[in-house]
Amino acid sequence: MGKFAQEFAKGLIITNPVLVLLLGLCPALAVSTSIDNALGMTLAVLIVLLGSNIIIAAMRNFVPSITRIPIFIVIIATLVTVVNLLFHAYLPDLHETLGIYLPLVVVNCIVLGRAEAFASKNPVVRSIADALGMTVGFMLALLMISLIRQMLGTGEMSVFGVHFFSLPVLSSRPVAIFILPPGGFLVIGLLLGLFKWTGVLKR
Amino acid sequence: MDGGAQEMNELIVIFLSMALINNFILVRYLGLCPFLGVSKELGPAVSMGIAVTFVMIIASLATWLINHYILIPFDIQYMYIIVFILVIASLVQVIELFIKKTNIALYSAFGIYLPLITTNCAVLGVTIINMMGSYTLLESLVAALGGGLGFTLVLAIMAGIREKLELADTPRAMKGAPIALITATLLGLAFFGFVGIV
C-alpha cells in the first residue's frame, strides 16, 4: 500500500502536471474562469486518464512498441468520445460551456504523457494511483487558478449555483480582466513565479 | 451588395476573427506548448508557425471532406474525435515523409517540428471549430489560414520579445516560463484592441 500512496502523492506537488511539468496548460487556462468549469474539466480528465491508464497498463505486454503511440491515441480518443457523449446527455450546460475544450482533452499532454511515461511500463494498480494523483494535482492547480480568477473577476464566491459570499468592493466593481483570456496568463504566470520564489515547487 | 461581395466579406470576417480577434494562442489558449517551447528564437518560431499553418490547412481540407462524405452520410458524426485525431496524426506522418523525399532543405528547416504538431491542440482545434461552425469548404480553408497566420504572428512577436528578455534583468524567480506568461498577458491585452474591427 505504501507504493500506491507514493505514486498517488507524487502527482500532487512534486510532479504536479500543470504547475511543475507545465502540461495541460490549454485546458487549465481556458476553463479556469470559474470553479464550476474547473471541476467539470477535472471530472472529464479523471474519467479519461483513469480509463486510459487502466487499459494501457493492462495491455502493456501485448502492445508492440513500434505502434504504441497510435494505439494509445485511439484508446484515449475513444474515452474522450464517451465522456463527450455522457456530458452531452447528462450535463448539457457544462458540455456547452466547456465547448471545444472537452473534445480537446484528447490532445491534453497529461493524458498521453502519463500513458507513455507511466502506464505503458507499470502494473494496473500503480497506474491507477498515478492517474488519481495526477488528476488531483490537476484539480488543485485548476482550483487555485479558478478561485483567484473567479474571486477577482466576479467578486462572488459560488459553486454550482450555491452562493457562499460576495467580496465587498469587488462584487459591485469586478476586475473583469481576470475572467478574460489575458487574466489567465497573468494569474498562472504570477503563481509560477511565486512558487519558484518561495521554493515550494522545485523545478 | 451582390452575392459575391457578401461572400467575400464573410470570408474576410472569418479570416480576421481567426487570426486576430480570436487568436489561437492569446484568446483560445490553443497551442501553448509550442508557444512556450519554441518561442525563444525568431527563426525556429517562424518555421514552427509555418509548419503549423501548413498542417492546419491540409487537415482542414481532409477533415472537411471526411466529415461531409463519410461521417454525415453514415450518420456517425459522434465519431469525429477519433477520426479527426487519426487523420491529423497520419497526415503529419505523410507530410513528413513527403518533405523528406522531395525537399531536404525544407525538411531540415521544419521537419523536426512536424512530429510535435500531432499533439498540437491548435490543429485539432481548428478542425473542430470548422465542424461546429458548419463552415463550407472555402470557409474552413480560410479559417485554417487565418488561424495559422495568427498563430505564426504571435509566435514571432513573442520570440522577438523573448530574445530581448534574455538580456533583461528579470527577477530570478520570474525567469523562463513565468515572465513569458506575463508577456503573453500584455500581448493578449494589446490584441483586445482588435475586437472592434469587424
Side-chain angles (χ1 to χ4, degrees), chain B residues 44-61:
Chain B
V46 173
S47 303
M48 177 72 177
I50 294 170
V52 167
T53 311
F54 183 63
V55 174
M56 271 183 176
I57 293 173
I58 309 230
S60 294
L61 175 68

Side-chain angles (χ1 to χ4, degrees), chain B residues 21-102:
Chain B
I21 301 162
N22 289 317
N23 185 279
F24 268 85
I25 297 176
L26 296 175
V27 179
R28 295 193 207 259
Y29 300 121
L30 298 177
L32 286 182
C33 307
F35 175 62
L36 292 174
V38 297
S39 70
K40 287 181 184 132
E41 281 174 69
L42 195 55
V46 173
S47 303
M48 177 72 177
I50 294 170
V52 167
T53 311
F54 183 63
V55 174
M56 271 183 176
I57 293 173
I58 309 230
S60 294
L61 175 68
T63 52
W64 191 90
L65 291 174
I66 288 172
N67 192 24
H68 282 258
Y69 291 103
I70 301 176
L71 298 188
I72 294 177
F74 287 97
D75 203 17
I76 48 170
Q77 273 173 292
Y78 60 87
M79 292 284 285
Y80 74 95
I81 301 173
I82 303 176
V83 173
F84 284 11
I85 188 78
L86 285 179
V87 167
I88 292 169
S90 23
L91 259 181
V92 171
Q93 295 277 314
V94 171
I95 294 170
E96 193 185 351
L97 285 176
F98 182 77
I99 296 179
K100 203 174 182 178
K101 289 283 175 210
T102 54

Side-chain angles (χ1 to χ4, degrees), chain B residues 95-118:
Chain B
I95 294 170
E96 193 185 351
L97 285 176
F98 182 77
I99 296 179
K100 203 174 182 178
K101 289 283 175 210
T102 54
N103 191 339
I104 199 76
L106 193 64
Y107 180 76
S108 52
F110 69 66
I112 44 166
Y113 301 112
L114 282 172
L116 294 176
I117 293 175
T118 312

Side-chain angles (χ1 to χ4, degrees), chain A residues 67-78:
Chain A
T67 55
R68 67 184 191 285
I69 301 288
I71 293 174
F72 294 167
I73 291 179
V74 173
I75 293 170
I76 294 168
T78 311

